[in-house]
Amino acid sequence: MFERYQGGEQAILVHVDFRDETAREDLNELEMLASSAGATILSTITTRRDSPQAKFFIGTGKADEIALEVQRLNADLVIFNHALSPAQERNLERIFQCRVLDRTTLILDIFAQRARTHEGKLQVELAQLRHISSRLVRGWTHLERQKGGIGLRGPGETQLETDRRLIREKISTILLRLEKVEKQREQGRRARVRNAIPVVSLVGYTNAGKSTLFNRLTQSKVYAANQLFATLDPTLRRIELDKLGPIVLADTVGFIRHLPHDLVAAFKATLQETREADLQLHVIDCADERVADNIEQVNLVLEEIEANEVPQLLVYNKVDCLSEGLPRIERDDTGKPVAVWLSALTGAGTDLLLNVLDELLGVQIVEYQLRLPPAAARIRSKLYELKAIQRETYAENGDSMIHIRLPEVEWLRLIKQEITIPSFIVQDE
């Protein structure tokens, strides 16, 4: 029988430097993750490898070295800065005689600590259950086979099968609850569409300063701290722009490189705000030495959740941390704003951001005249769902003459789904 060791907070960190760039993780980020989870870092052990070893992920010699360090420091937790297989976790725990966590489990633990709302707790529990379900195999080796003989015949289900069934049932229950939450969010979104209120979503790498900027713009008191994943639960606030009027600002969970897929799937309802926004403010920590890599990682996650089609404005935050950092607006060759440099902490440059929002959101409504044949009833139905149809008449041959008006982001998303739509345009008004 294999029992998992109980976890603790006295931790040893293990970081492997691989030659393959795509497999590399950041050691500083692991230290921040461990601190965010509440761990006390006793020691950090690094090593180099060309590729992970199948049995222990690291070499046998390095595993023995870590085991000695665990005994010397009386550590009760070893955290790897990489994703481990269930078998590797089990093998390492046998050698270390303490709990072993990988990067994914560590992130899940932080999410479990930070979730405050009912929805957030459900999403974290869903992600944890999906993660655990993949690690049940070989965890119950003493109960894998059904026993025979008098007094040992069971209900025809092994312990492993029972656990899997219970987890499946629990996942189904959580998904039903989250579906209700998603419907409630959808109703809120429809109301905003009816009232023609643009939605601006804050996205960015974790700890880039999204919540601080959100508080600065909305005069709110959303929890903001210098730690990873300070924000889990989405927060929406309404603010007034000088020219455009009311807009809705949405603060969302931060992204991180190699964000666990279970988390992305679990937070689908939350990330819906990012997908359905009229504009994304990509908040970037300009004082971070990995600026370019962080931007790339955020864009990869946006692509994964199908939010990469939404127009984006880069917001370089923390200019107060730069020696020559000045608030400013960057524009492309056509004069369109593409980036704003500011400090959410001091407030310097936030007035520039509000001016840019007025400028960008005020011109993102498109209008077209379409002539749809009866065979294009599906497209007509989608346009009605989007509440984009302003008026409709009929031609003698039965074609629908439709005047539509909708946000540009919705138009781009629609023609991506229905590639024949541009052929129905009569004139561009």
Side-chain angles (χ1 to χ4, degrees), residues 16 47 84 126 170 283 296 351 382 411 413 421 424:
V16 182
T47 184
L84 300 176
L126 175 61
K170 185 69 174 175
V283 183
E296 181 184 355
D351 56 331
K382 284 188 176 182
W411 171 252
R413 189 179 292 124
I421 288 183
F424 299 131

Side-chain angles (χ1 to χ4, degrees), residues 81-135:
N81 196 19
H82 312 273
L84 300 176
S85 70
Q88 287 168 341
E89 279 187 8
R90 186 178 67 252
N91 295 335
L92 289 168
E93 286 190 0
R94 283 190 177 129
I95 294 178
F96 301 159
Q97 295 186 357
C98 71
R99 189 67 182 261
V100 173
L101 294 184
D102 66 354
R103 179 184 171 88
T104 301
T105 310
L106 178 62
I107 293 174
L108 284 170
D109 183 81
I110 296 171
F111 272 54
Q113 291 182 45
R114 300 281 160 74
R116 293 290 179 269
T117 64
H118 175 63
E119 177 191 4
K121 291 175 181 177
L122 284 175
Q123 290 169 329
V124 171
E125 187 178 0
L126 175 61
Q128 287 178 322
L129 287 171
R130 283 173 168 165
H131 185 63
I132 291 171
S133 66
S134 67
R135 289 163 187 266

Side-chain angles (χ1 to χ4, degrees), residues 96 100 141 147 226 234 238 317:
F96 301 159
V100 173
T141 52
K147 295 181 179 179
N226 184 25
R238 180 168 166 160
N317 188 26

Side-chain angles (χ1 to χ4, degrees), residues 179-234:
E179 191 177 331
K180 291 181 180 178
V181 174
E182 196 167 349
K183 287 180 180 177
Q184 291 171 351
R185 285 190 176 280
E186 183 61 31
Q187 289 175 350
R189 274 192 291 272
R190 286 177 181 172
R192 291 195 293 271
V193 170
R194 279 198 301 271
N195 296 327
I197 300 177
V199 177
V200 177
S201 177
L202 294 172
V203 300
Y205 208 77
T206 182
N207 204 34
K210 295 183 297 299
S211 294
T212 305
L213 179 61
F214 182 85
N215 288 338
R216 175 69 62 177
L217 295 176
T218 63
Q219 306 301 314
S220 300
K221 293 183 179 180
V222 171
Y223 178 68
N226 184 25
Q227 57 185 200
L228 302 187
F229 300 117
T231 302
L232 279 193
D233 304 307

Side-chain angles (χ1 to χ4, degrees), residues 86-356:
Q88 287 168 341
E89 279 187 8
R90 186 178 67 252
N91 295 335
L92 289 168
E93 286 190 0
R94 283 190 177 129
I95 294 178
F96 301 159
Q97 295 186 357
C98 71
R99 189 67 182 261
V100 173
L101 294 184
D102 66 354
R103 179 184 171 88
T104 301
T105 310
L106 178 62
I107 293 174
L108 284 170
D109 183 81
I110 296 171
F111 272 54
Q113 291 182 45
R114 300 281 160 74
R116 293 290 179 269
T117 64
H118 175 63
E119 177 191 4
K121 291 175 181 177
L122 284 175
Q123 290 169 329
V124 171
E125 187 178 0
L126 175 61
Q128 287 178 322
L129 287 171
R130 283 173 168 165
H131 185 63
I132 291 171
S133 66
S134 67
R135 289 163 187 266
L136 285 177
V137 181
R138 305 290 298 172
W140 296 89
T141 52
H142 65 302
L143 294 171
E144 276 185 351
R145 296 184 181 275
Q146 298 177 24
K147 295 181 179 179
I150 296 173
L152 293 176
R153 295 186 181 93
E157 190 172 46
T158 66
Q159 182 66 52
L160 181 60
E161 290 167 342
T162 302
D163 289 343
R164 282 176 173 163
R165 177 174 53 79
L166 292 174
I167 286 179
R168 281 198 305 269
E169 290 172 358
K170 185 69 174 175
I171 287 175
S172 298
T173 302
I174 293 174
L175 285 173
L176 287 174
R177 291 180 182 176
L178 285 174
E179 191 177 331
K180 291 181 180 178
V181 174
E182 196 167 349
K183 287 180 180 177
Q184 291 171 351
R185 285 190 176 280
E186 183 61 31
Q187 289 175 350
R189 274 192 291 272
R190 286 177 181 172
R192 291 195 293 271
V193 170
R194 279 198 301 271
N195 296 327
I197 300 177
V199 177
V200 177
S201 177
L202 294 172
V203 300
Y205 208 77
T206 182
N207 204 34
K210 295 183 297 299
S211 294
T212 305
L213 179 61
F214 182 85
N215 288 338
R216 175 69 62 177
L217 295 176
T218 63
Q219 306 301 314
S220 300
K221 293 183 179 180
V222 171
Y223 178 68
N226 184 25
Q227 57 185 200
L228 302 187
F229 300 117
T231 302
L232 279 193
D233 304 307
T235 308
L236 283 76
R237 293 287 187 276
R238 180 168 166 160
I239 64 175
E240 294 281 337
L241 297 180
D242 291 339
K243 297 178 182 177
L244 189 65
I247 68 167
V248 172
L249 198 64
D251 189 17
T252 59
V253 63
F255 301 147
I256 195 169
R257 59 178 50 78
H258 301 155
L259 189 67
H261 291 285
D262 289 334
L263 279 178
V264 175
F267 278 74
K268 181 182 176 183
T270 300
L271 297 172
Q272 188 80 4
E273 298 294 345
T274 302
R275 287 205 300 272
E276 300 294 337
D278 297 287
L279 178 68
Q280 291 171 0
L281 297 186
H282 183 169
V283 183
I284 301 157
D285 181 356
C286 63
D288 195 320
E289 59 186 18
R290 304 158 300 168
V291 171
D293 186 41
N294 289 350
I295 293 173
E296 181 184 355
Q297 294 298 328
V298 170
N299 288 331
L300 286 174
V301 177
L302 289 173
E303 186 175 347
E304 187 175 349
I305 65 173
E306 298 178 353
N308 54 324
E309 297 293 327
V310 180
Q312 189 180 97
L313 175 70
L314 302 180
V315 179
Y316 288 95
N317 188 26
K318 305 186 183 181
V319 294
D320 53 307
C321 297
L322 301 178
S323 57
E324 298 180 359
L326 293 173
R328 62 187 186 276
I329 299 173
E330 285 185 11
R331 298 177 181 270
D332 61 15
D333 296 337
T334 64
K336 180 180 178 182
V338 292
V340 178
W341 294 69
L342 54 77
S343 170
L345 187 63
T346 66
T350 51
D351 56 331
L352 300 178
L353 176 60
L354 292 174
N355 292 337
V356 168

